[in-house]
Amino acid sequence: MIVAEIKPFEEIKDLLKNYKNILVVGCGTCMAVCMSGGKRQVELLASALRLSKKAEGQEVSVAEKTIGRQCEPKFVDQIKDGASKYEVILSMGCGAGVQEIAERLKNIPVLPAMNTSFIGASDGEGNFLEMCAACGDCILPLTGGICPVARCPKGLLNGPCGGTKNGKCEVSQDIPCAWVLIYERMKELGRLDDLKKEIGAKKWSKNQRPGKYSVKEEEKEPASIK
Amino acid sequence: MKSISAMPPCQAACPIHTDVRGYVSAISKGEIENAIKIIRQVNPFPAVCGRICTRACESACRRAQVDEPIAIASLKRFAADQTKDLKIIPKPGTYYDERIAVIGGGPCGLTAAHDLTLLGYKVTVFEANKGLGGMLTRGIPEYRLPKSVVKEDIDFILSIGVEAVTGMSLGRDFTIEGLLKEYQAVFLALGSERSVFPKCKGIELPGIITAVEFLKQIGQGGRPHLGESVVIVGGGHTAIDAARTCLRLGSSDVTVVYRRTLKEMPASKTEVEEAEHEGVKIIYLTSPVQFLGGGKVEKVRCVKMKPAGKDLSRRSKLMPVENSEFEIKADAVILAIGYNPKTDRIKDVELISGKSGTIVVKDETGITNIKGVFAGGDVVSGPVSVIHAIASGKKAADSIHRYLRNLPSKEVEDPMVLSPLDEKIANLVLKAVRQKMPALSVEERIKSFNEVNLGYSREQAITEAQRCLNCGSGAVISDECVACFNCVMVCPYGVPVAGEEKAKIDISQCQACGICAAECPASAIDVRIETKEESRKKLEGAIKAAKEKSPGGFKIEFFCQYEESLMPVGDKTGKHVIGKPCMARVDVSQLIRPFEEGSIAVEIDKCGFHNECRFKGCEKWIEKHIESARKILEKSGIGADKLRMVCKE
């Protein structure tokens, strides 16, 4: 899932300073799960915006709507007709959501309320960890299912650097050294010998921006085949 | 509250499916009028049932898994007693021309008359005796069920438009055929008052009387002294009632002889305990074989009994134990071994009758072999409890209505019932003792016929009602669930689980604290005890009222309604307050919403939860919500200090 965090309130306020008629749009998938931009957060942000304008003695109208997934055009179309009533849309989706809405609505400015952080997973206690860097050339089979590209600050491919100490990264004591984790996992798997093999240079060309992916022709729905 | 598919066990166990949870919850919030309205939707005898019901609901109550069941009947009594001067007279929605005759003014007949009147029919009740009430007034002594209490319930039934003619006896003053000329339906609720006599030698001796005859005499004000030693034969409510009555009449040596054991005794355990407490002796597994005496009864010869086979079920056969005969001194003997209906007075029509004079009916609809004639209550079933008589009257009323309106018969399905609490969850629920019913001391009791149980005080009733687990009014997950499983993490009872696609909450286990609903990022959880919509309306209503009352600036205060209901009535005047089932239900958006409408401050009444709350760990969540709301208020320029926790103690 995509993990994002809400921008500082002052920044959002500043983004919206020239608008009096705002629609806050939430995203009911990743953003709801990481508790950043689901229905409840939309409600709270909208309320905070109204309150701050009120405190400044200004009038503002802030409407709220949460759609299933902002990166899906069919969901975005659900707000398309009603959107013309607003001067601006504040998206609580990830960067993809903001752009998808902007793409579909064209003539209304769409602003981000979030800073999209990473692709990650929940630790079950309300914390989310980055797990994948979307590099386009997955090496997880070689590293026991732990990604050094995403989880090592240096993205080292063949073992730790000299900065690892007591299993922690020199960058921060909060970051476990990805290569220590890989070592422990491979040991559990009885595959320590495999670590002696060199991981060759990655195909970074696969990481070329902008990434693009198309469903293969034979897997597309018949109606979409031209 | 949203409708539910599974009933709480109390409601399912009640023969008339009273919304027990509904009225107990109303009492817990101090809404006594609302409680009696809920009770009266199905039961025209709340004051009576609040005292003498056999309480199948309490036997089914899931609170018993935690400590003791809720004192449901006592709460019903409280609601009835507190509202006896309240005149809420329901009216039928439609009126029909058909007239219906009900024969028998006991609980079954009067219930049928009540229901049929509210359905829109003209109903006349014919009662052979001088007064209405049947066994309620003639069979149950004053100390257990005062006549004034029965009168309250009956007066209510008459107030809705039921017509009653007393002193009119079927077979003597009118016939069924005659009634059928004037009435489009006849309901026979004749009761079952003819005593059964044991087949013993000496039964004809003076000094041997039936319990019905005896209790009737007492009911009419008679105070006979039967002698020092009285033996009562039987094990039902009537036997125990007769025994306790003898004590009150001055007999010092009162013995109940019952042929089975305490376990099989039809009288309730509480009654038996109270009787023994007052001084009644009970001899189990014993039967009379002969009554002895010269000129009048002096002794009862008894024999010990034992089960004939290994089967110890209630109706298993018994046999005498050899050489076990013994004698008990008896100045008088009261027989209370059973009652049969008196249907031999029906001579004009040929009703199919069963063993012991009961009327045979098709099924619960009460349809007899004669068109337009229905029967119900004890005359069909033999003597049963008052709530079963009421249930039978209700079913008959429905069936008469269907007959007269030509409607299809009702499909009766057994209700789905919430499953028992998991042991793990039962252990997590805070224990709270059942409120003890205030009662007269034994010395005071046996001197008079005054009612033994005195009824709960308001504080006791509310405290007792607050023990209710509100079974089945917990959290429901909608399709909007995004499977973040936050609910799984926050539930203090560990009820939500990760399902294949979404989170799942077992409604039979949920304790309805509402913490998950307040924490759900997708707002996909609703709690039946107070839905989001109900909650929103409550808040908007309070804000609107506050704006009107104090246009210059108002404050909103949230309080725990469990705490508030114990405060004196009228204490809420002048405050703009919102009661919540649990303060943890007040989520962040509710805390900041009043400021949008111009509230100058929002207060959370801490007094409601500074003691250990009924909900596990709610305090932590309340504090968390306040902290989050304060942050929002701070950054939006309103000021964190405008939201505060107060304690008025």
Side-chain angles (χ1 to χ4, degrees), chain B residues 557-589:
Chain B
E557 180 188 326
F558 290 94
F559 63 87
C560 171
Q561 67 192 24
Y562 286 108
E563 183 76 5
E564 184 76 2
S565 51
L566 285 171
M567 290 183 184
V569 185
D571 200 35
K572 296 173 193 170
T573 333
K575 286 195 279 174
H576 308 294
V577 292
I578 302 158
K580 304 299 287 183
C582 173
M583 298 293 271
R585 290 290 311 280
V586 189
D587 60 24
V588 182
S589 70

PDB file of all heavy atoms in Angstrom, chain B residues 557-589:
ATOM      1  N   GLU B 557     -21.725  20.939  26.838  1.00  0.00           N
ATOM      2  CA  GLU B 557     -21.089  20.016  27.776  1.00  0.00           C
ATOM      3  C   GLU B 557     -21.487  18.574  27.449  1.00  0.00           C
ATOM      4  O   GLU B 557     -22.657  18.283  27.252  1.00  0.00           O
ATOM      5  CB  GLU B 557     -21.520  20.346  29.202  1.00  0.00           C
ATOM      6  CG  GLU B 557     -20.892  19.435  30.225  1.00  0.00           C
ATOM      7  CD  GLU B 557     -21.470  19.634  31.628  1.00  0.00           C
ATOM      8  OE1 GLU B 557     -21.817  20.762  31.975  1.00  0.00           O
ATOM      9  OE2 GLU B 557     -21.574  18.628  32.343  1.00  0.00           O
ATOM     10  N   PHE B 558     -20.516  17.705  27.388  1.00  0.00           N
ATOM     11  CA  PHE B 558     -20.795  16.277  27.199  1.00  0.00           C
ATOM     12  C   PHE B 558     -20.722  15.597  28.560  1.00  0.00           C
ATOM     13  O   PHE B 558     -19.812  15.872  29.334  1.00  0.00           O
ATOM     14  CB  PHE B 558     -19.744  15.630  26.288  1.00  0.00           C
ATOM     15  CG  PHE B 558     -19.833  16.068  24.855  1.00  0.00           C
ATOM     16  CD1 PHE B 558     -19.067  17.129  24.375  1.00  0.00           C
ATOM     17  CD2 PHE B 558     -20.673  15.419  23.965  1.00  0.00           C
ATOM     18  CE1 PHE B 558     -19.134  17.529  23.051  1.00  0.00           C
ATOM     19  CE2 PHE B 558     -20.747  15.805  22.633  1.00  0.00           C
ATOM     20  CZ  PHE B 558     -19.981  16.868  22.175  1.00  0.00           C
ATOM     21  N   PHE B 559     -21.683  14.726  28.818  1.00  0.00           N
ATOM     22  CA  PHE B 559     -21.612  13.984  30.080  1.00  0.00           C
ATOM     23  C   PHE B 559     -21.946  12.516  29.832  1.00  0.00           C
ATOM     24  O   PHE B 559     -22.568  12.159  28.830  1.00  0.00           O
ATOM     25  CB  PHE B 559     -22.578  14.567  31.113  1.00  0.00           C
ATOM     26  CG  PHE B 559     -24.028  14.466  30.701  1.00  0.00           C
ATOM     27  CD1 PHE B 559     -24.769  13.334  30.970  1.00  0.00           C
ATOM     28  CD2 PHE B 559     -24.634  15.515  30.038  1.00  0.00           C
ATOM     29  CE1 PHE B 559     -26.092  13.242  30.576  1.00  0.00           C
ATOM     30  CE2 PHE B 559     -25.958  15.433  29.642  1.00  0.00           C
ATOM     31  CZ  PHE B 559     -26.687  14.299  29.911  1.00  0.00           C
ATOM     32  N   CYS B 560     -21.552  11.698  30.770  1.00  0.00           N
ATOM     33  CA  CYS B 560     -21.846  10.267  30.671  1.00  0.00           C
ATOM     34  C   CYS B 560     -23.269  10.060  31.155  1.00  0.00           C
ATOM     35  O   CYS B 560     -23.587  10.368  32.297  1.00  0.00           O
ATOM     36  CB  CYS B 560     -20.879   9.478  31.544  1.00  0.00           C
ATOM     37  SG  CYS B 560     -21.330   7.746  31.699  1.00  0.00           S
ATOM     38  N   GLN B 561     -24.127   9.559  30.277  1.00  0.00           N
ATOM     39  CA  GLN B 561     -25.524   9.465  30.685  1.00  0.00           C
ATOM     40  C   GLN B 561     -25.751   8.382  31.735  1.00  0.00           C
ATOM     41  O   GLN B 561     -26.738   8.402  32.440  1.00  0.00           O
ATOM     42  CB  GLN B 561     -26.439   9.252  29.494  1.00  0.00           C
ATOM     43  CG  GLN B 561     -26.292   7.932  28.807  1.00  0.00           C
ATOM     44  CD  GLN B 561     -27.013   7.921  27.477  1.00  0.00           C
ATOM     45  OE1 GLN B 561     -27.236   8.963  26.872  1.00  0.00           O
ATOM     46  NE2 GLN B 561     -27.386   6.757  27.034  1.00  0.00           N
ATOM     47  N   TYR B 562     -24.810   7.456  31.866  1.00  0.00           N
ATOM     48  CA  TYR B 562     -24.944   6.464  32.927  1.00  0.00           C
ATOM     49  C   TYR B 562     -24.806   7.135  34.296  1.00  0.00           C
ATOM     50  O   TYR B 562     -25.432   6.750  35.255  1.00  0.00           O
ATOM     51  CB  TYR B 562     -23.897   5.363  32.782  1.00  0.00           C
ATOM     52  CG  TYR B 562     -24.238   4.434  31.657  1.00  0.00           C
ATOM     53  CD1 TYR B 562     -23.516   4.435  30.485  1.00  0.00           C
ATOM     54  CD2 TYR B 562     -25.332   3.581  31.764  1.00  0.00           C
ATOM     55  CE1 TYR B 562     -23.850   3.591  29.449  1.00  0.00           C
ATOM     56  CE2 TYR B 562     -25.677   2.748  30.729  1.00  0.00           C
ATOM     57  CZ  TYR B 562     -24.924   2.749  29.577  1.00  0.00           C
ATOM     58  OH  TYR B 562     -25.267   1.927  28.544  1.00  0.00           O
ATOM     59  N   GLU B 563     -23.956   8.147  34.326  1.00  0.00           N
ATOM     60  CA  GLU B 563     -23.751   8.882  35.566  1.00  0.00           C
ATOM     61  C   GLU B 563     -24.908   9.862  35.774  1.00  0.00           C
ATOM     62  O   GLU B 563     -25.480   9.961  36.833  1.00  0.00           O
ATOM     63  CB  GLU B 563     -22.422   9.623  35.478  1.00  0.00           C
ATOM     64  CG  GLU B 563     -22.037  10.377  36.714  1.00  0.00           C
ATOM     65  CD  GLU B 563     -21.516   9.467  37.815  1.00  0.00           C
ATOM     66  OE1 GLU B 563     -21.372   8.255  37.594  1.00  0.00           O
ATOM     67  OE2 GLU B 563     -21.273   9.983  38.893  1.00  0.00           O
ATOM     68  N   GLU B 564     -25.264  10.551  34.698  1.00  0.00           N
ATOM     69  CA  GLU B 564     -26.259  11.611  34.776  1.00  0.00           C
ATOM     70  C   GLU B 564     -27.624  11.089  35.229  1.00  0.00           C
ATOM     71  O   GLU B 564     -28.336  11.760  35.954  1.00  0.00           O
ATOM     72  CB  GLU B 564     -26.397  12.294  33.409  1.00  0.00           C
ATOM     73  CG  GLU B 564     -27.342  13.488  33.382  1.00  0.00           C
ATOM     74  CD  GLU B 564     -26.740  14.739  34.016  1.00  0.00           C
ATOM     75  OE1 GLU B 564     -25.586  14.686  34.433  1.00  0.00           O
ATOM     76  OE2 GLU B 564     -27.455  15.755  34.091  1.00  0.00           O
ATOM     77  N   SER B 565     -27.967   9.860  34.811  1.00  0.00           N
ATOM     78  CA  SER B 565     -29.300   9.367  35.153  1.00  0.00           C
ATOM     79  C   SER B 565     -29.471   9.176  36.652  1.00  0.00           C
ATOM     80  O   SER B 565     -30.570   9.044  37.147  1.00  0.00           O
ATOM     81  CB  SER B 565     -29.589   8.068  34.401  1.00  0.00           C
ATOM     82  OG  SER B 565     -28.533   7.170  34.580  1.00  0.00           O
ATOM     83  N   LEU B 566     -28.370   9.160  37.377  1.00  0.00           N
ATOM     84  CA  LEU B 566     -28.478   9.024  38.829  1.00  0.00           C
ATOM     85  C   LEU B 566     -28.588  10.379  39.526  1.00  0.00           C
ATOM     86  O   LEU B 566     -28.818  10.459  40.712  1.00  0.00           O
ATOM     87  CB  LEU B 566     -27.274   8.259  39.374  1.00  0.00           C
ATOM     88  CG  LEU B 566     -27.308   6.752  39.106  1.00  0.00           C
ATOM     89  CD1 LEU B 566     -25.993   6.121  39.490  1.00  0.00           C
ATOM     90  CD2 LEU B 566     -28.442   6.103  39.864  1.00  0.00           C
ATOM     91  N   MET B 567     -28.403  11.437  38.743  1.00  0.00           N
ATOM     92  CA  MET B 567     -28.521  12.767  39.344  1.00  0.00           C
ATOM     93  C   MET B 567     -30.000  13.077  39.528  1.00  0.00           C
ATOM     94  O   MET B 567     -30.842  12.529  38.836  1.00  0.00           O
ATOM     95  CB  MET B 567     -27.900  13.805  38.425  1.00  0.00           C
ATOM     96  CG  MET B 567     -26.396  13.703  38.349  1.00  0.00           C
ATOM     97  SD  MET B 567     -25.768  15.017  37.307  1.00  0.00           S
ATOM     98  CE  MET B 567     -24.042  14.589  37.296  1.00  0.00           C
ATOM     99  N   PRO B 568     -30.323  13.995  40.451  1.00  0.00           N
ATOM    100  CA  PRO B 568     -31.730  14.305  40.664  1.00  0.00           C
ATOM    101  C   PRO B 568     -32.378  14.830  39.376  1.00  0.00           C
ATOM    102  O   PRO B 568     -31.728  15.499  38.577  1.00  0.00           O
ATOM    103  CB  PRO B 568     -31.686  15.396  41.731  1.00  0.00           C
ATOM    104  CG  PRO B 568     -30.330  15.394  42.273  1.00  0.00           C
ATOM    105  CD  PRO B 568     -29.427  14.768  41.285  1.00  0.00           C
ATOM    106  N   VAL B 569     -33.650  14.506  39.209  1.00  0.00           N
ATOM    107  CA  VAL B 569     -34.370  14.965  38.023  1.00  0.00           C
ATOM    108  C   VAL B 569     -34.398  16.496  38.018  1.00  0.00           C
ATOM    109  O   VAL B 569     -34.580  17.121  39.057  1.00  0.00           O
ATOM    110  CB  VAL B 569     -35.813  14.416  38.039  1.00  0.00           C
ATOM    111  CG1 VAL B 569     -36.544  14.789  36.756  1.00  0.00           C
ATOM    112  CG2 VAL B 569     -35.803  12.919  38.228  1.00  0.00           C
ATOM    113  N   GLY B 570     -34.191  17.094  36.866  1.00  0.00           N
ATOM    114  CA  GLY B 570     -34.287  18.549  36.768  1.00  0.00           C
ATOM    115  C   GLY B 570     -32.944  19.232  36.892  1.00  0.00           C
ATOM    116  O   GLY B 570     -32.826  20.431  36.725  1.00  0.00           O
ATOM    117  N   ASP B 571     -31.909  18.455  37.159  1.00  0.00           N
ATOM    118  CA  ASP B 571     -30.578  19.019  37.345  1.00  0.00           C
ATOM    119  C   ASP B 571     -30.000  19.586  36.054  1.00  0.00           C
ATOM    120  O   ASP B 571     -29.033  20.320  36.063  1.00  0.00           O
ATOM    121  CB  ASP B 571     -29.651  17.936  37.903  1.00  0.00           C
ATOM    122  CG  ASP B 571     -28.430  18.524  38.581  1.00  0.00           C
ATOM    123  OD1 ASP B 571     -28.561  19.594  39.208  1.00  0.00           O
ATOM    124  OD2 ASP B 571     -27.362  17.943  38.457  1.00  0.00           O
ATOM    125  N   LYS B 572     -30.637  19.214  34.910  1.00  0.00           N
ATOM    126  CA  LYS B 572     -30.073  19.585  33.623  1.00  0.00           C
ATOM    127  C   LYS B 572     -30.473  20.993  33.185  1.00  0.00           C
ATOM    128  O   LYS B 572     -29.973  21.496  32.194  1.00  0.00           O
ATOM    129  CB  LYS B 572     -30.525  18.585  32.560  1.00  0.00           C
ATOM    130  CG  LYS B 572     -30.023  17.178  32.806  1.00  0.00           C
ATOM    131  CD  LYS B 572     -30.650  16.239  31.803  1.00  0.00           C
ATOM    132  CE  LYS B 572     -30.423  14.794  32.217  1.00  0.00           C
ATOM    133  NZ  LYS B 572     -31.205  13.879  31.419  1.00  0.00           N
ATOM    134  N   THR B 573     -31.376  21.622  33.904  1.00  0.00           N
ATOM    135  CA  THR B 573     -31.884  22.916  33.495  1.00  0.00           C
ATOM    136  C   THR B 573     -30.771  23.939  33.278  1.00  0.00           C
ATOM    137  O   THR B 573     -29.870  24.060  34.090  1.00  0.00           O
ATOM    138  CB  THR B 573     -32.854  23.474  34.575  1.00  0.00           C
ATOM    139  OG1 THR B 573     -33.405  22.364  35.239  1.00  0.00           O
ATOM    140  CG2 THR B 573     -33.934  24.321  33.971  1.00  0.00           C
ATOM    141  N   GLY B 574     -30.901  24.664  32.187  1.00  0.00           N
ATOM    142  CA  GLY B 574     -29.973  25.766  31.960  1.00  0.00           C
ATOM    143  C   GLY B 574     -28.649  25.383  31.332  1.00  0.00           C
ATOM    144  O   GLY B 574     -27.872  26.242  30.974  1.00  0.00           O
ATOM    145  N   LYS B 575     -28.381  24.081  31.186  1.00  0.00           N
ATOM    146  CA  LYS B 575     -27.120  23.671  30.570  1.00  0.00           C
ATOM    147  C   LYS B 575     -27.409  23.153  29.172  1.00  0.00           C
ATOM    148  O   LYS B 575     -28.472  22.615  28.906  1.00  0.00           O
ATOM    149  CB  LYS B 575     -26.462  22.541  31.379  1.00  0.00           C
ATOM    150  CG  LYS B 575     -25.858  23.005  32.671  1.00  0.00           C
ATOM    151  CD  LYS B 575     -24.912  21.957  33.235  1.00  0.00           C
ATOM    152  CE  LYS B 575     -25.667  20.876  33.964  1.00  0.00           C
ATOM    153  NZ  LYS B 575     -24.791  19.792  34.404  1.00  0.00           N
ATOM    154  N   HIS B 576     -26.451  23.303  28.296  1.00  0.00           N
ATOM    155  CA  HIS B 576     -26.607  22.751  26.964  1.00  0.00           C
ATOM    156  C   HIS B 576     -25.802  21.465  26.918  1.00  0.00           C
ATOM    157  O   HIS B 576     -24.605  21.479  26.685  1.00  0.00           O
ATOM    158  CB  HIS B 576     -26.124  23.742  25.914  1.00  0.00           C
ATOM    159  CG  HIS B 576     -26.766  25.082  26.100  1.00  0.00           C
ATOM    160  ND1 HIS B 576     -28.108  25.262  25.920  1.00  0.00           N
ATOM    161  CD2 HIS B 576     -26.256  26.269  26.494  1.00  0.00           C
ATOM    162  CE1 HIS B 576     -28.407  26.533  26.184  1.00  0.00           C
ATOM    163  NE2 HIS B 576     -27.306  27.157  26.539  1.00  0.00           N
ATOM    164  N   VAL B 577     -26.486  20.401  27.247  1.00  0.00           N
ATOM    165  CA  VAL B 577     -25.734  19.188  27.518  1.00  0.00           C
ATOM    166  C   VAL B 577     -26.102  18.056  26.578  1.00  0.00           C
ATOM    167  O   VAL B 577     -27.186  18.014  26.023  1.00  0.00           O
ATOM    168  CB  VAL B 577     -25.957  18.720  28.975  1.00  0.00           C
ATOM    169  CG1 VAL B 577     -25.344  19.686  29.949  1.00  0.00           C
ATOM    170  CG2 VAL B 577     -27.423  18.535  29.244  1.00  0.00           C
ATOM    171  N   ILE B 578     -25.186  17.161  26.404  1.00  0.00           N
ATOM    172  CA  ILE B 578     -25.389  16.006  25.547  1.00  0.00           C
ATOM    173  C   ILE B 578     -24.949  14.758  26.294  1.00  0.00           C
ATOM    174  O   ILE B 578     -23.779  14.620  26.644  1.00  0.00           O
ATOM    175  CB  ILE B 578     -24.583  16.152  24.240  1.00  0.00           C
ATOM    176  CG1 ILE B 578     -25.002  17.440  23.530  1.00  0.00           C
ATOM    177  CG2 ILE B 578     -24.808  14.954  23.326  1.00  0.00           C
ATOM    178  CD1 ILE B 578     -23.980  17.953  22.569  1.00  0.00           C
ATOM    179  N   GLY B 579     -25.894  13.868  26.546  1.00  0.00           N
ATOM    180  CA  GLY B 579     -25.553  12.626  27.235  1.00  0.00           C
ATOM    181  C   GLY B 579     -25.113  11.576  26.233  1.00  0.00           C
ATOM    182  O   GLY B 579     -25.630  11.498  25.133  1.00  0.00           O
ATOM    183  N   LYS B 580     -24.111  10.806  26.601  1.00  0.00           N
ATOM    184  CA  LYS B 580     -23.622   9.761  25.702  1.00  0.00           C
ATOM    185  C   LYS B 580     -23.607   8.437  26.449  1.00  0.00           C
ATOM    186  O   LYS B 580     -23.354   8.407  27.650  1.00  0.00           O
ATOM    187  CB  LYS B 580     -22.192  10.086  25.249  1.00  0.00           C
ATOM    188  CG  LYS B 580     -22.016  11.419  24.594  1.00  0.00           C
ATOM    189  CD  LYS B 580     -22.817  11.587  23.337  1.00  0.00           C
ATOM    190  CE  LYS B 580     -22.252  10.783  22.186  1.00  0.00           C
ATOM    191  NZ  LYS B 580     -23.027  11.029  20.944  1.00  0.00           N
ATOM    192  N   PRO B 581     -23.833   7.325  25.703  1.00  0.00           N
ATOM    193  CA  PRO B 581     -23.797   6.016  26.360  1.00  0.00           C
ATOM    194  C   PRO B 581     -22.428   5.745  26.975  1.00  0.00           C
ATOM    195  O   PRO B 581     -22.313   5.126  27.998  1.00  0.00           O
ATOM    196  CB  PRO B 581     -24.076   5.019  25.244  1.00  0.00           C
ATOM    197  CG  PRO B 581     -24.555   5.796  24.083  1.00  0.00           C
ATOM    198  CD  PRO B 581     -24.124   7.209  24.265  1.00  0.00           C
ATOM    199  N   CYS B 582     -21.384   6.231  26.342  1.00  0.00           N
ATOM    200  CA  CYS B 582     -20.057   6.157  26.950  1.00  0.00           C
ATOM    201  C   CYS B 582     -19.287   7.342  26.408  1.00  0.00           C
ATOM    202  O   CYS B 582     -19.384   7.672  25.232  1.00  0.00           O
ATOM    203  CB  CYS B 582     -19.323   4.876  26.595  1.00  0.00           C
ATOM    204  SG  CYS B 582     -17.620   4.890  27.188  1.00  0.00           S
ATOM    205  N   MET B 583     -18.499   7.981  27.250  1.00  0.00           N
ATOM    206  CA  MET B 583     -17.786   9.174  26.801  1.00  0.00           C
ATOM    207  C   MET B 583     -16.752   8.851  25.732  1.00  0.00           C
ATOM    208  O   MET B 583     -16.343   9.719  24.980  1.00  0.00           O
ATOM    209  CB  MET B 583     -17.114   9.845  27.996  1.00  0.00           C
ATOM    210  CG  MET B 583     -18.106  10.310  29.025  1.00  0.00           C
ATOM    211  SD  MET B 583     -19.134  11.646  28.417  1.00  0.00           S
ATOM    212  CE  MET B 583     -18.116  13.004  28.873  1.00  0.00           C
ATOM    213  N   ALA B 584     -16.337   7.588  25.658  1.00  0.00           N
ATOM    214  CA  ALA B 584     -15.385   7.209  24.612  1.00  0.00           C
ATOM    215  C   ALA B 584     -16.044   7.298  23.231  1.00  0.00           C
ATOM    216  O   ALA B 584     -15.384   7.265  22.210  1.00  0.00           O
ATOM    217  CB  ALA B 584     -14.856   5.799  24.857  1.00  0.00           C
ATOM    218  N   ARG B 585     -17.376   7.375  23.212  1.00  0.00           N
ATOM    219  CA  ARG B 585     -18.086   7.522  21.947  1.00  0.00           C
ATOM    220  C   ARG B 585     -18.000   8.943  21.395  1.00  0.00           C
ATOM    221  O   ARG B 585     -18.330   9.189  20.241  1.00  0.00           O
ATOM    222  CB  ARG B 585     -19.584   7.184  22.120  1.00  0.00           C
ATOM    223  CG  ARG B 585     -19.899   5.743  22.353  1.00  0.00           C
ATOM    224  CD  ARG B 585     -19.664   4.907  21.120  1.00  0.00           C
ATOM    225  NE  ARG B 585     -20.253   5.438  19.909  1.00  0.00           N
ATOM    226  CZ  ARG B 585     -21.524   5.327  19.557  1.00  0.00           C
ATOM    227  NH1 ARG B 585     -22.358   4.712  20.346  1.00  0.00           N
ATOM    228  NH2 ARG B 585     -21.969   5.823  18.432  1.00  0.00           N
ATOM    229  N   VAL B 586     -17.629   9.899  22.237  1.00  0.00           N
ATOM    230  CA  VAL B 586     -17.510  11.274  21.764  1.00  0.00           C
ATOM    231  C   VAL B 586     -16.200  11.362  20.987  1.00  0.00           C
ATOM    232  O   VAL B 586     -15.124  11.439  21.566  1.00  0.00           O
ATOM    233  CB  VAL B 586     -17.502  12.276  22.946  1.00  0.00           C
ATOM    234  CG1 VAL B 586     -17.601  13.696  22.431  1.00  0.00           C
ATOM    235  CG2 VAL B 586     -18.645  11.987  23.892  1.00  0.00           C
ATOM    236  N   ASP B 587     -16.307  11.302  19.672  1.00  0.00           N
ATOM    237  CA  ASP B 587     -15.077  11.298  18.890  1.00  0.00           C
ATOM    238  C   ASP B 587     -14.579  12.730  18.660  1.00  0.00           C
ATOM    239  O   ASP B 587     -15.220  13.697  19.055  1.00  0.00           O
ATOM    240  CB  ASP B 587     -15.227  10.511  17.584  1.00  0.00           C
ATOM    241  CG  ASP B 587     -16.302  11.093  16.686  1.00  0.00           C
ATOM    242  OD1 ASP B 587     -16.609  12.293  16.824  1.00  0.00           O
ATOM    243  OD2 ASP B 587     -16.835  10.352  15.842  1.00  0.00           O
ATOM    244  N   VAL B 588     -13.417  12.829  18.009  1.00  0.00           N
ATOM    245  CA  VAL B 588     -12.776  14.138  17.857  1.00  0.00           C
ATOM    246  C   VAL B 588     -13.683  15.112  17.103  1.00  0.00           C
ATOM    247  O   VAL B 588     -13.826  16.276  17.485  1.00  0.00           O
ATOM    248  CB  VAL B 588     -11.415  13.976  17.137  1.00  0.00           C
ATOM    249  CG1 VAL B 588     -10.714  15.309  17.018  1.00  0.00           C
ATOM    250  CG2 VAL B 588     -10.542  12.981  17.888  1.00  0.00           C
ATOM    251  N   SER B 589     -14.348  14.627  16.060  1.00  0.00           N
ATOM    252  CA  SER B 589     -15.154  15.562  15.272  1.00  0.00           C
ATOM    253  C   SER B 589     -16.322  16.114  16.087  1.00  0.00           C
ATOM    254  O   SER B 589     -16.708  17.267  15.932  1.00  0.00           O
ATOM    255  CB  SER B 589     -15.621  14.908  13.971  1.00  0.00           C
ATOM    256  OG  SER B 589     -16.578  13.935  14.240  1.00  0.00           O
TER     257      SER B 589
END
